[in-house]
mmCIF file of all heavy atoms in Angstrom:
data_model
loop_
_atom_site.group_PDB
_atom_site.id
_atom_site.type_symbol
_atom_site.label_atom_id
_atom_site.label_comp_id
_atom_site.label_asym_id
_atom_site.label_seq_id
_atom_site.Cartn_x
_atom_site.Cartn_y
_atom_site.Cartn_z
ATOM 1 N N ALA A 30 3.043 -4.998 27.805
ATOM 2 C CA ALA A 30 3.627 -4.850 29.134
ATOM 3 C C ALA A 30 2.651 -4.179 30.099
ATOM 4 O O ALA A 30 2.583 -4.534 31.285
ATOM 5 C CB ALA A 30 4.920 -4.040 29.045
ATOM 6 N N GLU A 35 -3.365 -8.762 33.478
ATOM 7 C CA GLU A 35 -4.707 -9.149 33.036
ATOM 8 C C GLU A 35 -4.638 -10.143 31.886
ATOM 9 O O GLU A 35 -5.457 -11.079 31.822
ATOM 10 C CB GLU A 35 -5.496 -7.905 32.625
ATOM 11 C CG GLU A 35 -6.930 -8.161 32.183
ATOM 12 C CD GLU A 35 -7.834 -8.710 33.275
ATOM 13 O OE1 GLU A 35 -7.386 -8.827 34.442
ATOM 14 O OE2 GLU A 35 -8.997 -9.028 32.977
ATOM 15 N N ARG A 39 -6.308 -13.819 32.165
ATOM 16 C CA ARG A 39 -7.321 -14.243 31.197
ATOM 17 C C ARG A 39 -6.905 -15.526 30.468
ATOM 18 O O ARG A 39 -7.707 -16.446 30.284
ATOM 19 C CB ARG A 39 -7.564 -13.117 30.179
ATOM 20 C CG ARG A 39 -8.362 -11.956 30.722
ATOM 21 C CD ARG A 39 -9.839 -12.292 30.759
ATOM 22 N NE ARG A 39 -10.668 -11.163 31.142
ATOM 23 C CZ ARG A 39 -12.001 -11.225 31.205
ATOM 24 N NH1 ARG A 39 -12.626 -12.343 30.899
ATOM 25 N NH2 ARG A 39 -12.701 -10.186 31.575
ATOM 26 N N PRO A 53 -16.737 -19.630 27.559
ATOM 27 C CA PRO A 53 -17.516 -18.537 28.156
ATOM 28 C C PRO A 53 -17.013 -17.142 27.798
ATOM 29 O O PRO A 53 -17.790 -16.177 27.804
ATOM 30 C CB PRO A 53 -17.403 -18.803 29.663
ATOM 31 C CG PRO A 53 -16.214 -19.705 29.819
ATOM 32 C CD PRO A 53 -16.155 -20.527 28.578
ATOM 33 N N ILE A 83 -19.838 -13.289 6.142
ATOM 34 C CA ILE A 83 -21.028 -13.772 6.852
ATOM 35 C C ILE A 83 -22.160 -12.753 6.746
ATOM 36 O O ILE A 83 -23.333 -13.127 6.593
ATOM 37 C CB ILE A 83 -20.680 -14.094 8.310
ATOM 38 C CG1 ILE A 83 -19.777 -15.340 8.362
ATOM 39 C CG2 ILE A 83 -21.940 -14.326 9.146
ATOM 40 C CD1 ILE A 83 -19.187 -15.625 9.729
ATOM 41 N N MET A 86 -23.668 -13.218 3.367
ATOM 42 C CA MET A 86 -24.430 -14.478 3.337
ATOM 43 C C MET A 86 -25.736 -14.345 4.090
ATOM 44 O O MET A 86 -26.781 -14.837 3.645
ATOM 45 C CB MET A 86 -23.574 -15.608 3.908
ATOM 46 C CG MET A 86 -22.361 -15.970 3.069
ATOM 47 S SD MET A 86 -21.290 -17.215 3.844
ATOM 48 C CE MET A 86 -22.330 -18.688 3.711
ATOM 49 N N PHE A 119 -17.572 -0.794 -8.311
ATOM 50 C CA PHE A 119 -16.663 0.127 -7.643
ATOM 51 C C PHE A 119 -17.076 1.574 -7.863
ATOM 52 O O PHE A 119 -17.278 2.016 -8.996
ATOM 53 C CB PHE A 119 -15.236 -0.088 -8.138
ATOM 54 C CG PHE A 119 -14.666 -1.427 -7.765
ATOM 55 C CD1 PHE A 119 -14.357 -2.368 -8.737
ATOM 56 C CD2 PHE A 119 -14.458 -1.752 -6.435
ATOM 57 C CE1 PHE A 119 -13.831 -3.606 -8.392
ATOM 58 C CE2 PHE A 119 -13.930 -2.988 -6.066
ATOM 59 C CZ PHE A 119 -13.615 -3.913 -7.051
ATOM 60 N N PRO A 124 -11.571 12.391 -2.466
ATOM 61 C CA PRO A 124 -10.126 12.499 -2.264
ATOM 62 C C PRO A 124 -9.739 13.192 -0.968
ATOM 63 O O PRO A 124 -8.613 13.076 -0.514
ATOM 64 C CB PRO A 124 -9.669 13.312 -3.479
ATOM 65 C CG PRO A 124 -10.881 14.051 -3.928
ATOM 66 C CD PRO A 124 -12.032 13.141 -3.640
ATOM 67 N N THR A 139 -28.650 -0.557 -9.438
ATOM 68 C CA THR A 139 -29.467 -1.235 -10.451
ATOM 69 C C THR A 139 -30.413 -2.197 -9.745
ATOM 70 O O THR A 139 -30.311 -2.406 -8.525
ATOM 71 C CB THR A 139 -28.574 -2.020 -11.434
ATOM 72 O OG1 THR A 139 -28.123 -3.227 -10.790
ATOM 73 C CG2 THR A 139 -27.381 -1.206 -11.907
ATOM 74 N N ALA A 222 -29.015 -11.350 13.030
ATOM 75 C CA ALA A 222 -28.087 -11.831 14.051
ATOM 76 C C ALA A 222 -28.163 -13.351 14.171
ATOM 77 O O ALA A 222 -27.127 -14.029 14.268
ATOM 78 C CB ALA A 222 -28.403 -11.171 15.391
ATOM 79 N N SER A 234 -28.323 -24.641 13.352
ATOM 80 C CA SER A 234 -29.218 -24.046 14.334
ATOM 81 C C SER A 234 -29.058 -24.739 15.680
ATOM 82 O O SER A 234 -29.305 -24.154 16.734
ATOM 83 C CB SER A 234 -30.672 -24.134 13.865
ATOM 84 O OG SER A 234 -31.033 -25.477 13.611
ATOM 85 N N ILE A 242 -26.557 -22.736 4.530
ATOM 86 C CA ILE A 242 -25.153 -22.913 4.172
ATOM 87 C C ILE A 242 -24.313 -22.036 5.092
ATOM 88 O O ILE A 242 -24.648 -20.869 5.322
ATOM 89 C CB ILE A 242 -24.902 -22.533 2.701
ATOM 90 C CG1 ILE A 242 -25.792 -23.367 1.782
ATOM 91 C CG2 ILE A 242 -23.429 -22.697 2.344
ATOM 92 C CD1 ILE A 242 -25.527 -24.854 1.842
ATOM 93 N N ARG A 262 -8.344 -0.836 28.857
ATOM 94 C CA ARG A 262 -7.416 0.214 28.431
ATOM 95 C C ARG A 262 -7.877 0.908 27.146
ATOM 96 O O ARG A 262 -7.296 1.917 26.737
ATOM 97 C CB ARG A 262 -6.039 -0.423 28.210
ATOM 98 C CG ARG A 262 -4.866 0.548 28.084
ATOM 99 C CD ARG A 262 -3.564 -0.226 27.899
ATOM 100 N NE ARG A 262 -2.370 0.607 28.057
ATOM 101 C CZ ARG A 262 -1.560 0.980 27.063
ATOM 102 N NH1 ARG A 262 -1.820 0.603 25.815
ATOM 103 N NH2 ARG A 262 -0.494 1.706 27.300
ATOM 104 N N GLY A 274 -2.903 11.895 16.770
ATOM 105 C CA GLY A 274 -3.252 12.309 15.413
ATOM 106 C C GLY A 274 -3.315 13.822 15.286
ATOM 107 O O GLY A 274 -2.816 14.405 14.308
ATOM 108 N N GLY A 287 4.587 24.272 3.306
ATOM 109 C CA GLY A 287 3.548 24.001 2.318
ATOM 110 C C GLY A 287 2.603 22.882 2.678
ATOM 111 O O GLY A 287 1.694 22.563 1.902
ATOM 112 N N ALA A 294 -9.576 19.808 -5.425
ATOM 113 C CA ALA A 294 -8.924 20.056 -6.712
ATOM 114 C C ALA A 294 -7.672 19.223 -6.909
ATOM 115 O O ALA A 294 -7.176 19.091 -8.015
ATOM 116 C CB ALA A 294 -8.563 21.539 -6.835
ATOM 117 N N VAL A 321 -0.468 10.282 5.170
ATOM 118 C CA VAL A 321 -0.259 11.547 4.470
ATOM 119 C C VAL A 321 -0.072 11.244 2.986
ATOM 120 O O VAL A 321 0.098 10.092 2.584
ATOM 121 C CB VAL A 321 0.966 12.305 5.018
ATOM 122 C CG1 VAL A 321 0.725 12.715 6.467
ATOM 123 C CG2 VAL A 321 2.236 11.467 4.899
ATOM 124 N N ASP A 352 -5.044 -7.232 -11.154
ATOM 125 C CA ASP A 352 -5.273 -8.263 -12.169
ATOM 126 C C ASP A 352 -6.475 -9.141 -11.842
ATOM 127 O O ASP A 352 -7.263 -9.495 -12.733
ATOM 128 C CB ASP A 352 -4.027 -9.140 -12.316
ATOM 129 C CG ASP A 352 -2.879 -8.413 -13.001
ATOM 130 O OD1 ASP A 352 -3.126 -7.359 -13.611
ATOM 131 O OD2 ASP A 352 -1.737 -8.897 -12.907
ATOM 132 N N GLY A 358 -15.226 -6.287 -11.954
ATOM 133 C CA GLY A 358 -16.026 -5.146 -11.550
ATOM 134 C C GLY A 358 -16.488 -4.345 -12.749
ATOM 135 O O GLY A 358 -16.346 -4.751 -13.908
ATOM 136 N N ASP A 361 -15.697 1.603 -14.910
ATOM 137 C CA ASP A 361 -15.692 3.052 -14.800
ATOM 138 C C ASP A 361 -14.376 3.532 -14.186
ATOM 139 O O ASP A 361 -13.836 2.909 -13.264
ATOM 140 C CB ASP A 361 -16.850 3.526 -13.922
ATOM 141 C CG ASP A 361 -18.203 3.261 -14.561
ATOM 142 O OD1 ASP A 361 -18.228 3.006 -15.776
ATOM 143 O OD2 ASP A 361 -19.212 3.297 -13.847
ATOM 144 N N GLY A 370 -3.765 6.288 -4.448
ATOM 145 C CA GLY A 370 -2.894 5.124 -4.457
ATOM 146 C C GLY A 370 -1.466 5.447 -4.831
ATOM 147 O O GLY A 370 -0.521 4.779 -4.383
#
Side-chain angles (χ1 to χ4, degrees):
E35 182 64 5
R39 286 281 186 178
I83 290 171
M86 293 175 71
F119 294 114
T139 76
S234 57
I242 303 297
R262 194 179 192 251
V321 295
D352 288 345
D361 293 344

